Short mmCIF file of all heavy atoms in Angstrom, two decimals:
data_model
loop_
_atom_site.label_atom_id
_atom_site.label_comp_id
_atom_site.label_asym_id
_atom_site.label_seq_id
_atom_site.Cartn_x
_atom_site.Cartn_y
_atom_site.Cartn_z
N PRO W 793 11.89 -122.56 83.81
CA PRO W 793 10.75 -123.06 83.03
C PRO W 793 9.97 -122.11 82.18
O PRO W 793 9.28 -122.43 81.26
CB PRO W 793 9.94 -123.85 83.90
CG PRO W 793 10.19 -123.19 85.31
CD PRO W 793 11.69 -122.78 85.22
N SER W 794 10.20 -120.62 82.62
CA SER W 794 9.36 -119.70 81.95
C SER W 794 10.05 -119.22 80.70
O SER W 794 9.38 -118.50 79.82
CB SER W 794 9.30 -118.52 82.91
OG SER W 794 10.53 -117.91 83.14
N ASP W 795 11.30 -119.65 80.39
CA ASP W 795 11.93 -119.28 79.16
C ASP W 795 12.89 -120.40 78.72
O ASP W 795 14.06 -120.24 78.67
CB ASP W 795 12.87 -118.00 79.49
CG ASP W 795 13.47 -117.40 78.09
OD1 ASP W 795 12.85 -117.70 77.20
OD2 ASP W 795 14.49 -116.78 78.23
N PRO W 796 12.31 -121.67 78.35
CA PRO W 796 13.13 -122.65 77.84
C PRO W 796 13.53 -122.50 76.48
O PRO W 796 13.00 -121.77 75.59
CB PRO W 796 12.23 -123.85 78.02
CG PRO W 796 10.81 -123.18 77.76
CD PRO W 796 10.84 -121.92 78.26
N PRO W 797 14.68 -123.13 76.03
CA PRO W 797 15.10 -123.06 74.66
C PRO W 797 13.92 -123.68 73.74
O PRO W 797 13.27 -124.47 74.18
CB PRO W 797 16.39 -123.93 74.52
CG PRO W 797 16.83 -124.00 75.92
CD PRO W 797 15.62 -123.84 76.76
N THR W 798 13.73 -123.14 72.51
CA THR W 798 12.76 -123.47 71.78
C THR W 798 12.95 -124.72 70.95
O THR W 798 14.07 -124.92 70.32
CB THR W 798 12.46 -122.46 70.61
OG1 THR W 798 12.15 -121.12 71.35
CG2 THR W 798 11.12 -122.77 69.88
N PRO W 799 12.15 -125.79 71.01
CA PRO W 799 12.34 -127.14 70.26
C PRO W 799 12.16 -126.96 68.90
O PRO W 799 11.60 -125.77 68.36
CB PRO W 799 11.18 -128.04 70.82
CG PRO W 799 10.71 -127.46 72.12
CD PRO W 799 10.94 -125.91 71.91
N SER W 800 12.94 -127.68 68.04
CA SER W 800 12.89 -127.51 66.66
C SER W 800 11.50 -128.01 66.15
O SER W 800 11.11 -129.01 66.31
CB SER W 800 13.93 -128.34 65.85
OG SER W 800 13.83 -128.30 64.56
N ALA W 801 10.87 -126.99 65.45
CA ALA W 801 9.46 -127.41 64.91
C ALA W 801 9.53 -127.76 63.55
O ALA W 801 8.53 -127.96 62.85
CB ALA W 801 8.57 -126.09 64.98
N GLU W 802 10.74 -127.97 63.00
CA GLU W 802 10.79 -128.38 61.50
C GLU W 802 11.69 -129.64 61.54
O GLU W 802 12.68 -129.81 62.31
CB GLU W 802 11.51 -127.32 60.66
CG GLU W 802 10.48 -126.16 60.42
CD GLU W 802 9.29 -126.48 59.71
OE1 GLU W 802 9.32 -127.58 58.87
OE2 GLU W 802 8.24 -125.95 59.92
N PRO W 803 11.44 -130.63 60.62
CA PRO W 803 12.41 -131.79 60.62
C PRO W 803 13.67 -131.33 60.10
O PRO W 803 13.88 -130.40 59.42
CB PRO W 803 11.70 -132.55 59.39
CG PRO W 803 10.26 -132.12 59.43
CD PRO W 803 10.23 -130.70 59.81
N THR W 804 14.70 -132.15 60.66
CA THR W 804 16.09 -131.52 60.53
C THR W 804 16.69 -131.97 59.03
O THR W 804 17.35 -131.12 58.48
CB THR W 804 17.02 -132.39 61.55
OG1 THR W 804 16.86 -133.68 61.47
CG2 THR W 804 16.54 -131.81 62.96
N PRO W 805 16.40 -133.00 58.41
CA PRO W 805 16.91 -133.27 57.06
C PRO W 805 16.22 -132.46 56.04
O PRO W 805 15.28 -131.82 56.32
CB PRO W 805 16.63 -134.74 56.94
CG PRO W 805 16.38 -135.28 58.17
CD PRO W 805 15.76 -134.23 58.93
N THR W 806 16.88 -132.49 54.96
CA THR W 806 16.40 -131.61 53.80
C THR W 806 15.33 -132.13 52.97
O THR W 806 14.75 -131.38 52.11
CB THR W 806 17.66 -131.16 52.98
OG1 THR W 806 18.22 -132.32 52.42
CG2 THR W 806 18.71 -130.39 53.74
N SER W 807 15.05 -133.34 52.99
CA SER W 807 14.07 -133.99 52.29
C SER W 807 12.91 -134.57 53.04
O SER W 807 13.17 -135.05 54.18
CB SER W 807 14.60 -135.16 51.36
OG SER W 807 15.16 -136.16 52.20
N GLY W 808 11.68 -134.47 52.57
CA GLY W 808 10.56 -134.87 53.30
C GLY W 808 10.31 -136.43 53.41
O GLY W 808 11.02 -137.08 52.60
N PRO W 809 9.37 -136.89 54.16
CA PRO W 809 9.16 -138.33 54.10
C PRO W 809 8.56 -138.77 52.76
O PRO W 809 7.84 -138.07 52.21
CB PRO W 809 8.17 -138.54 55.38
CG PRO W 809 7.49 -137.13 55.48
CD PRO W 809 8.52 -136.17 55.09
N THR W 810 8.61 -140.07 52.57
CA THR W 810 7.94 -140.56 51.37
C THR W 810 6.55 -140.46 51.53
O THR W 810 5.92 -140.75 52.67
CB THR W 810 8.35 -142.12 51.26
OG1 THR W 810 9.71 -142.26 51.23
CG2 THR W 810 7.68 -142.78 49.99
N SER W 811 5.83 -140.08 50.48
CA SER W 811 4.38 -139.96 50.39
C SER W 811 4.03 -138.57 51.06
O SER W 811 2.77 -138.34 51.25
CB SER W 811 3.57 -140.99 51.15
OG SER W 811 3.85 -142.27 50.55
N GLY W 812 4.93 -137.67 51.41
CA GLY W 812 4.56 -136.37 51.92
C GLY W 812 5.44 -135.31 51.26
O GLY W 812 6.57 -135.60 50.60
N PRO W 813 5.01 -134.08 51.41
CA PRO W 813 5.91 -132.95 50.80
C PRO W 813 7.16 -132.79 51.54
O PRO W 813 7.26 -133.10 52.67
CB PRO W 813 4.96 -131.78 50.95
CG PRO W 813 4.05 -132.01 52.19
CD PRO W 813 3.91 -133.63 52.13
#
Side-chain angles (χ1 to χ4, degrees):
S794 63
D795 187 26
T798 304
S800 174
E802 291 297 331
T804 56
T806 56
S807 60
T810 306
S811 304

